[in-house]
Amino acid sequence: MNSTPERLSLPLLQSKMKCDPEGYECELVLLYNQFKSSMELFKQQASLHFTSVGGIGSDPSVAKDLSDRAMFLAHVTPFYSKHLVEFPKQLADLLNSSSKSLPSGLRCHIAQALILLMNRKMVDIEENLALFMELQTLGDRTLRKLAFSHVIHSIKRMNQKHKNEAKNRALQKILFALLQQEDEAKAKRSLITLCELHRRKVWFDERTANAICTACFHSSPRIMIAALSFLLDYEKIEDGEDDSDEESGEDDVSSQSPHVVLSKELVYKAHNKGTSSSKKKKKAKLQRVMRSMKRQQRVSSDRNNSYYSPLNHLKDAQGFAEKLFSRLHACHERFEVKMMMLKVIARTVGLHRLILLSFYPYLQKYVQPHQRDITSLLAAAVQACHDVVPPDAVEPLFKQIVNQFVHDRSRTEAIAVGLNVVREICLRMPLLMTEDLLQDLALYKKSHEKAISVAARSLIGLFREICPSLLVKKDRGRPTDPKAKPKAYGEVSVASDIPGIELLQDDDGVNSDDDDDDCETIATGSDDDLEQVVDSSDDGDNQIYSDSGTDDEDELTEDGSAPKVDSDEGTDDDENANDSSELELETDEEAEDSGDEPDAMSDEIVETGSVDARTTSRDSKLKKRKHSDFDQQFLTANSSLRALKKLASTVEGKSSEPTDGILSNEDFRRIKELKAKKDAKSALTQHGLLRNAPDAKSTAFKVPSTDELSTKRMDPSKLEVHIRRRMSKEEKLALVKAGREDRGKYQARAAVKQKKTGGLSNRQKEHKKAMPLAAKRSRVAKSRVDKRKKDQRSGKQFRGKKAWKQ
């Protein structure tokens, strides 16, 4: 039997210790003592600043043994918690005292051992958060990434199931203190950690948002620039990235997928081209596309409604804007930094609707067409405009934009950008526009440049909705409200009802109408309204129109216009046939024998429904009645009216029950869905995709509300829409090469024409035709004779008259 003790490696000993902790306590104590002695040597070296060649730090084997023992003890600590009580504290003390003097590999291994203990909840993150933040400032890239990812994932894991506010406040207090320090490295790492946690929605609260905004006033310019960049790019971060790298990769793939675009040609083909079966398939495909577009519209509307920015949580927005503006005045940084500060100030002013009157004259000195980043500056100017600012404060800036950009000698790009900026400013502050200025700007609609004409027409379309009286009569078109005027300065419209409740009422009315399609349609109105009878002297048709107080219950014609009520008897037949639908009242005299209801009605009113417009005019001539039958029809209508009044009174009595007017959560959810559907339907209608909609031909511009304008971020690229840019030489070459890819090899035009893809021509077939032997001989002989004659002609050239021949 071999009595030699078994020599074990550290990984093998680690696995055996996990299986039998009690049997290997001696080995644990031995390894732990070796670790402590090595650690003391490193501490002494760090305290004495020992940097000689023969030092212990110069020996890589010693550092490797210490790192191996540290990782080994970290793995077995859960099984020997009593023996290794002081082990986590010793690791933290070693990193605190001598982290700068330790070798890079040893430092990373000790940090990994400490992270392993924290992941197994042997150590609390609150005790070592400051240590891991300091490790990120050592200049070791591997250690910085390791410490940063550990802090982020530990705090995220801590708040995964529920929010621990007490612990979060303690951790935030540490990071906020580091952020306010003068040390630039620590403040920068603290700011990056706070921004990442806020972006991942782990610390998505007011305290974190205010701390990030306060970093804009840090003494270090780099910290200020980092905070400004985060505040400006937060919308892009929200749209483009996600919590993890894997999720962000999936988002990038999904964002590159092409969007569905519907054209009018596609709609026309689906309804008018091809056979019945092909048109059916095209219509089904079109319906699927429309459903997807509606879904995208709902998602986008929800995203717009749920807008968020860290600037929303500012406790003192006015003080923040004023303090940042004063720093901008005294700032001597480069132009890009000034532009970032301008954008943040404008975003804060527009988001919180602040009054910062000195900001607009400051912008005025930069408003020049040749100014660098002029579209970004104009977008900031647009965002800083809202209805609370006095128009007199913005009027000099507005006039300078018009004078500098929109004139006949200006470039096409400048005029288009100027008109777009004027439209956006007038959308927020319509009181700035005057009648003479608007009519001058409207003349640019006749420009041959597409960008200018589109911008001018969009300005005209805006004022058709908000103030048509400022436009010339030919530019007004057919506005929805001819007497519309913008609100005076300081005027506020107070809502007297729940926004969107009319959509819920209309939806309920539509549902009840759908349920009662097969039943009789009876309008519940007053007796005076029910007695209104419209009779025509030529048609003899009786039409009843009852007003119930809402426009939705009126009977509409086939083209969507309301029927005309005319009390004169001399109404034209053709006009009634074309302008309004016919409602015929047919009475059936049927007596019902019932003991329980002796007063049962003897007249039954049947609504025939709307008739097609083309057949109405033809059937109106066929349904003319003689004048002698008119009196009988009139008496029948009167008898049916008496029955109608009795039934209306009973229905009105049932519907007069008092309601509490309290909406449930289901009602509010339904209102939200109806709003999204309405937005999607309006978007499809404006693109001409809803043919049967009542407002299919309406292209009215929908004026957004003040809240929507304040929360919406102005994109500078929208000010340059439809502008054709000059391409550089590289872009032109790339475009030329891209056009050559699908093109074949170059050939002459004659060769291309002669090249045939089909069979041979008749001349080519004659060349290949087999000739008889006699014909071949005669052809050869003939060719010889022709050749001989040609040679004779070519050999006898005229050389002048010989003298000796005279």
Side-chain angles (χ1 to χ4, degrees):
M1 182 177 178
N2 190 8
S3 61
T4 305
E6 184 182 2
R7 188 172 182 179
L8 298 175
S9 62
L10 286 179
L12 186 58
L13 182 60
Q14 175 183 325
S15 62
K16 288 183 177 294
M17 279 185 172
K18 290 180 180 179
C19 295
D20 186 13
E22 297 178 358
Y24 291 91
E25 289 184 1
C26 298
E27 287 81 355
L28 175 70
V29 173
L30 179 61
L31 288 170
Y32 188 38
N33 291 332
Q34 292 176 358
F35 168 77
K36 287 193 289 186
S37 61
S38 301
M39 187 175 61
E40 289 298 328
L41 287 174
F42 272 102
K43 282 186 178 181
Q44 291 176 6
Q45 178 188 357
S47 61
L48 296 174
H49 302 284
F50 186 68
T51 58
S52 65
V53 179
I56 191 171
S58 63
D59 191 359
S61 61
V62 178
K64 186 177 185 304
D65 291 341
L66 182 59
S67 61
D68 290 343
R69 288 184 176 87
M71 289 299 297
F72 171 80
L73 293 174
H75 277 285
V76 299
T77 298
F79 303 95
Y80 299 96
S81 56
K82 293 181 180 180
H83 297 80
L84 301 175
V85 175
E86 299 295 329
F87 176 67
K89 188 177 179 182
Q90 291 170 353
L91 289 178
D93 292 342
L94 178 61
L95 288 175
N96 277 321
S97 60
S98 57
S99 58
K100 295 182 180 179
S101 61
L102 291 176
S104 176
L106 177 60
R107 192 166 50 207
C108 288
H109 280 90
I110 293 177
Q112 286 177 354
L114 192 56
I115 288 172
L116 181 62
L117 294 174
M118 294 174 70
N119 290 339
R120 292 182 175 179
K121 298 182 179 179
M122 306 294 293
V123 186
D124 193 8
I125 187 176
E126 185 179 350
E127 301 174 0
N128 298 308
L129 179 60
L131 171 61
F132 278 93
M133 296 303 298
E134 188 177 357
L135 290 177
Q136 299 179 36
T137 62
L138 295 179
D140 190 350
R141 184 177 181 182
T142 307
L143 183 62
R144 183 173 67 244
K145 292 176 66 177
L146 178 66
F148 176 72
S149 62
H150 168 66
V151 170
I152 297 297
H153 288 294
S154 296
I155 298 176
K156 181 182 176 182
R157 195 184 310 115
M158 183 181 69
N159 294 277
Q160 194 166 10
K161 293 184 179 179
H162 62 278
K163 299 285 185 181
N164 191 348
E165 288 297 331
K167 209 167 186 180
N168 285 331
R169 283 180 180 272
L171 297 176
Q172 287 174 354
K173 187 177 180 181
I174 297 172
L175 291 177
F176 294 168
L178 291 173
L179 184 60
Q180 294 173 0
Q181 289 184 5
E182 295 296 329
D183 189 358
E184 182 180 329
K186 292 183 179 180
K188 183 179 179 182
R189 297 313 305 177
S190 176
L191 177 63
I192 292 174
T193 305
L194 288 173
C195 291
E196 184 67 17
L197 289 171
H198 193 74
R199 184 188 69 83
R200 292 175 180 245
K201 295 182 174 56
V202 179
W203 283 354
F204 206 63
D205 52 355
E206 296 182 2
R207 296 189 301 272
T208 308
N210 277 276
I212 295 172
C213 295
T214 310
C216 296
F217 310 118
H218 198 273
S219 58
S220 173
R222 297 179 65 184
I223 305 299
M224 178 191 68
I225 293 171
L228 292 173
S229 301
F230 178 76
L231 294 177
L232 289 175
D233 297 337
Y234 187 81
E235 291 88 355
K236 299 177 183 178
I237 290 173
E238 262 195 336
D239 296 339
E241 298 182 5
D242 212 339
D243 289 348
S244 61
D245 297 336
E246 293 82 8
E247 291 174 353
S248 63
E250 292 175 1
D251 291 345
D252 294 339
V253 173
S254 62
S255 63
Q256 293 175 0
S257 60
H259 293 283
V260 178
V261 179
L262 273 181
S263 61
K264 291 187 178 181
E265 183 182 3
L266 184 62
V267 179
Y268 177 78
K269 287 182 178 179
H271 289 87
N272 300 292
K273 293 283 187 178
T275 60
S276 59
S277 60
S278 64
K279 283 194 288 186
K280 187 177 180 181
K281 292 179 182 178
K282 292 175 186 176
K283 288 179 182 178
K285 180 181 177 182
L286 194 63
Q287 291 296 328
R288 290 195 298 270
V289 172
M290 291 171 65
R291 282 196 296 269
S292 67
M293 288 185 64
K294 288 182 180 180
R295 195 180 304 113
Q296 292 176 4
Q297 183 76 11
R298 290 173 195 166
V299 171
S300 63
S301 63
D302 291 342
R303 185 175 297 173
N304 293 335
N305 293 334
S306 61
Y307 172 82
Y308 174 78
S309 173
L311 296 171
N312 287 351
H313 287 317
L314 282 173
K315 294 179 180 178
D316 185 12
Q318 185 72 33
F320 174 82
E322 291 176 356
K323 190 175 179 180
L324 191 59
F325 186 56
S326 63
R327 183 165 185 175
L328 175 62
H329 271 292
C331 181
H332 298 289
E333 297 290 334
R334 59 186 188 273
F335 179 74
E336 291 84 356
V337 180
K338 290 184 178 180
M339 280 298 302
M340 293 171 68
M341 298 173 75
L342 270 174
K343 291 178 184 177
V344 172
I345 294 171
R347 195 79 190 93
T348 309
V349 170
L351 192 61
H352 294 274
R353 301 173 71 190
L354 307 177
I355 298 179
L356 194 64
L357 300 181
S358 57
F359 181 64
Y360 305 100
Y362 183 84
L363 289 174
Q364 192 173 346
K365 63 181 181 179
Y366 290 104
V367 177
Q368 299 289 338
H370 60 272
Q371 176 64 42
R372 180 182 172 189
D373 293 338
I374 184 60
T375 52
S376 299
L377 193 140
L378 291 175
V382 169
Q383 284 183 341
C385 296
H386 51 87
D387 56 350
V388 182
V389 181
D392 298 337
V394 191
E395 188 175 1
L397 175 64
F398 181 75
K399 287 185 177 179
Q400 182 166 353
I401 292 173
V402 175
N403 295 332
Q404 292 289 336
F405 285 84
V406 189
H407 56 84
D408 294 338
R409 294 189 177 183
S410 183
R411 293 181 301 166
T412 302
E413 298 86 355
I415 297 175
V417 170
L419 289 173
N420 288 327
V421 173
V422 168
R423 184 194 71 242
E424 293 294 335
I425 293 179
C426 291
L427 183 61
R428 292 158 174 80
M429 301 178 66
L431 295 175
L432 292 172
M433 182 60 70
T434 60
E435 185 176 357
D436 296 335
L437 178 59
L438 180 60
Q439 292 177 6
D440 290 342
L441 296 178
L443 295 177
Y444 283 97
K445 69 179 182 179
K446 299 180 181 179
S447 175
H448 295 290
E449 296 290 338
K450 182 180 179 181
I452 298 177
S453 61
V454 168
R457 291 178 189 278
S458 65
L459 183 63
I460 294 172
L462 171 64
F463 277 91
R464 281 181 180 176
E465 296 297 319
I466 59 177
C467 190
S469 59
L470 295 180
L471 292 167
V472 187
K473 186 176 181 181
K474 63 179 180 180
D475 290 336
R476 293 175 191 171
R478 188 176 295 176
T480 55
D481 188 5
K483 297 181 180 180
K485 286 186 178 181
K487 298 178 184 177
Y489 176 68
E491 183 182 354
V492 180
S493 58
V494 180
S496 60
D497 205 347
I498 298 174
I501 194 171
E502 67 277 359
L503 297 175
L504 189 63
Q505 294 173 354
D506 296 346
D507 185 63
D508 293 340
V510 170
N511 291 336
S512 62
D513 291 343
D514 293 341
D515 294 339
D516 299 338
D517 279 342
D518 298 333
C519 301
E520 300 173 354
T521 304
I522 300 173
T524 60
S526 60
D527 294 341
D528 297 333
D529 295 330
L530 290 170
E531 289 177 357
Q532 186 180 9
V533 180
V534 181
D535 52 328
S536 175
S537 60
D538 295 330
D539 288 349
D541 296 335
N542 300 314
Q543 298 179 350
I544 298 175
Y545 299 92
S546 59
D547 185 13
S548 62
T550 60
D551 297 330
D552 295 331
E553 295 177 358
D554 293 342
E555 293 293 334
L556 296 180
T557 60
E558 188 68 18
D559 58 351
S561 60
K564 300 179 181 179
V565 179
D566 190 3
S567 58
D568 298 335
E569 295 183 358
T571 314
D572 193 7
D573 299 334
D574 297 332
E575 291 180 358
N576 287 332
N578 295 326
D579 294 339
S580 64
S581 302
E582 296 182 356
L583 298 174
E584 296 184 2
L585 298 174
E586 299 179 0
T587 58
D588 298 332
E589 303 289 341
E590 296 180 357
E592 298 179 0
D593 298 333
S594 175
D596 297 335
E597 298 177 0
D599 297 332
M601 294 188 304
S602 61
D603 298 336
E604 182 179 359
I605 303 168
V606 180
E607 183 185 5
T608 59
S610 60
V611 191
D612 188 78
R614 292 176 296 180
T615 59
T616 305
S617 59
R618 185 175 67 250
D619 294 344
S620 60
K621 298 178 181 180
L622 300 177
K623 291 181 179 179
K624 286 186 178 181
R625 296 170 177 83
K626 295 181 180 180
H627 191 270
S628 59
D629 297 334
F630 177 76
D631 296 334
Q632 183 180 358
Q633 293 290 336
F634 186 76
L635 292 175
T636 305
N638 276 337
S639 62
S640 63
L641 272 177
R642 285 193 295 272
L644 188 63
K645 283 192 289 184
K646 289 178 67 176
L647 184 60
S649 61
T650 57
V651 174
E652 187 177 3
K654 291 180 182 179
S655 63
S656 62
E657 296 178 359
T659 56
D660 53 359
I662 299 175
L663 298 179
S664 62
N665 293 332
E666 184 68 24
D667 294 333
F668 283 107
R669 186 187 63 80
R670 184 62 180 161
I671 289 174
K672 187 176 180 181
E673 291 179 358
L674 291 173
K675 282 183 179 179
K677 287 182 180 179
K678 185 179 179 182
D679 294 340
K681 190 175 181 181
S682 63
L684 291 174
T685 303
Q686 287 183 358
H687 288 85
L689 297 176
L690 287 181
R691 299 176 61 190
N692 297 326
D695 53 348
K697 296 183 180 180
S698 175
T699 58
F701 173 75
K702 181 183 178 183
V703 181
S705 63
T706 307
D707 296 334
E708 292 176 354
L709 290 173
S710 61
T711 56
K712 185 179 179 182
R713 187 174 64 96
M714 186 65 203
D715 191 4
S717 61
K718 291 185 179 180
L719 300 177
E720 299 177 320
V721 68
H722 299 299
I723 294 178
R724 292 183 296 179
R725 294 186 175 276
R726 292 183 178 179
M727 292 188 296
S728 62
K729 185 177 180 180
E730 292 77 11
E731 292 175 347
K732 290 180 180 179
L733 287 175
L735 190 62
V736 169
K737 291 180 180 178
R740 288 176 178 174
E741 291 178 356
D742 298 333
R743 193 172 64 186
K745 187 179 179 181
Y746 174 76
Q747 289 181 343
R749 181 175 294 181
V752 174
K753 285 184 176 181
Q754 291 177 0
K755 186 178 180 181
K756 288 181 173 290
T757 56
L760 301 175
S761 62
N762 292 334
R763 181 173 295 181
Q764 291 171 338
K765 290 177 181 179
E766 287 179 359
H767 283 294
K768 291 185 178 183
K769 191 179 293 184
M771 299 177 64
L773 183 59
K776 287 181 180 180
R777 288 178 178 175
S778 62
R779 183 177 179 181
V780 170
K782 187 178 180 181
S783 62
R784 286 177 182 174
V785 172
D786 293 339
K787 187 178 181 182
R788 192 181 300 113
K789 289 182 179 180
K790 186 177 180 181
D791 293 342
Q792 290 175 358
R793 287 195 300 269
S794 62
K796 292 183 178 181
Q797 296 181 1
F798 180 71
R799 302 178 187 275
K801 202 171 183 182
K802 302 296 181 180
W804 53 271
K805 285 188 177 183
Q806 293 180 353

